[in-house]
Amino acid sequence: MVSGVIFGGLLSTCVVAAEAPNAEERNKIEMLLAEAAGKMIYLTKQCDKPVDPEKFKELSKLKAFSEGYQSIEGISWEHVRDEANQKYGELNAEGPDGEFCEQYEKDIQNAYPFLKPM
């Protein structure tokens, strides 16, 4: 990964090699993303506030980085999807009529502060 940093008006380019997370870190990242994705599915289906899955993947990189992970290389999107659908099922069982729309919208805004309000 190449990133540019400005020091005193000069552009300095440095190369940072982000290591792929190990198996334990990948699992933690996947669970972190699945929790947010489950809430986003709930917001989409129960609250009529759709979230684009492709944008979620891009945002996931930023979220993982903000949590201290340098890379999401090697995570299983299928595992994230499956866990997210399971979490959505649990959330939907607890609030089938959209009772948690406001709470989950705030949770997502807190987890992804760079998103525009829904």
Side-chain angles (χ1 to χ4, degrees):
M1 176 172 110
V2 177
S3 63
V5 183
I6 298 177
F7 291 105
L10 298 175
L11 179 63
S12 170
T13 303
C14 59
V15 177
V16 179
E19 291 184 27
N22 63 36
E24 182 180 336
E25 290 173 328
R26 277 193 309 270
N27 189 51
K28 287 180 182 178
I29 294 168
E30 289 170 2
M31 292 299 101
L32 175 77
L33 300 179
E35 182 178 337
K39 288 179 180 178
M40 289 183 175
I41 295 169
Y42 183 92
L43 287 169
T44 297
K45 292 185 175 186
Q46 305 310 115
C47 311
D48 196 30
K49 296 191 179 222
V51 177
D52 181 346
E54 288 305 311
K55 284 188 180 179
F56 176 77
K57 281 187 175 183
E58 291 301 314
L59 292 171
S60 296
K61 295 174 188 175
L62 296 172
K63 176 61 178 167
F65 186 74
S66 75
E67 294 290 326
Y69 298 101
Q70 297 297 315
S71 172
I72 61 170
E73 182 180 327
I75 69 164
S76 168
W77 288 107
E78 293 79 20
H79 187 237
V80 172
R81 180 199 62 221
D82 294 346
E83 288 293 325
N85 283 319
Q86 181 177 339
K87 293 202 179 290
Y88 163 70
E90 294 167 5
L91 299 174
N92 187 43
E94 293 175 22
D97 296 321
E99 295 91 338
F100 300 112
C101 290
E102 188 175 321
Q103 177 186 338
Y104 294 158
E105 187 173 347
K106 286 179 185 175
D107 289 350
I108 294 301
Q109 287 297 320
N110 288 335
Y112 297 86
F114 32 79
L115 281 178
K116 290 182 181 178
M118 299 177 145

